[in-house]
């Protein structure tokens, strides 16, 4: 959960690229661990980052992935 939390800090600072990197690392770890709640939360966070970057297609994909779990 630490990587996801660090990513959220970077979201709040406006460093979206660094935030995305931390969120993707957290997603990989959560998937390997089978921690579904973490996968859902991080996919939502990644969707928010893509939305802030005006990449609405990727944002929608991430939010839909979170909803399917």
């Amino acid at each position: 959960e630490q990587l996801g939390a660090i990513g959220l800090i970077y979201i709040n600072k406006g460093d979206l690229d660094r935030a995305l990197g931390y969120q993707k690392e957290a997603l990989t770890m959560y998937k390997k661990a089978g921690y579904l709640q973490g996968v859902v939360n991080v996919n939502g966070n990644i969707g928010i980052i893509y939305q802030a970057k005006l990449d609405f297609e990727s944002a929608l994909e991430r939010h839909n992935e979170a909803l399917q779990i």
Side-chain angles (χ1 to χ4, degrees):
E1 293 184 15
Q2 308 301 14
L3 291 173
I6 293 170
L8 291 176
I9 291 169
Y10 283 112
I11 290 171
N12 290 331
K13 288 182 149 198
D15 190 343
L16 299 179
D17 292 328
R18 188 170 282 177
L20 186 59
Y22 278 102
Q23 294 297 318
K24 286 184 174 182
E25 282 186 61
L27 181 61
T28 299
M29 291 178 64
Y30 291 153
K31 284 183 175 180
K32 284 182 182 177
Y35 180 45
L36 296 181
Q37 184 63 49
V39 172
V40 169
N41 290 342
V42 170
N43 268 314
N45 292 342
I46 292 172
I48 290 167
I49 293 168
Y50 280 132
Q51 186 174 343
K53 293 173 71 109
L54 305 178
D55 183 351
F56 300 115
E57 185 175 329
S58 294
L60 184 59
E61 287 173 10
R62 290 301 180 149
H63 288 300
N64 283 333
E65 187 174 329
L67 289 171
Q68 292 175 9
I69 296 174

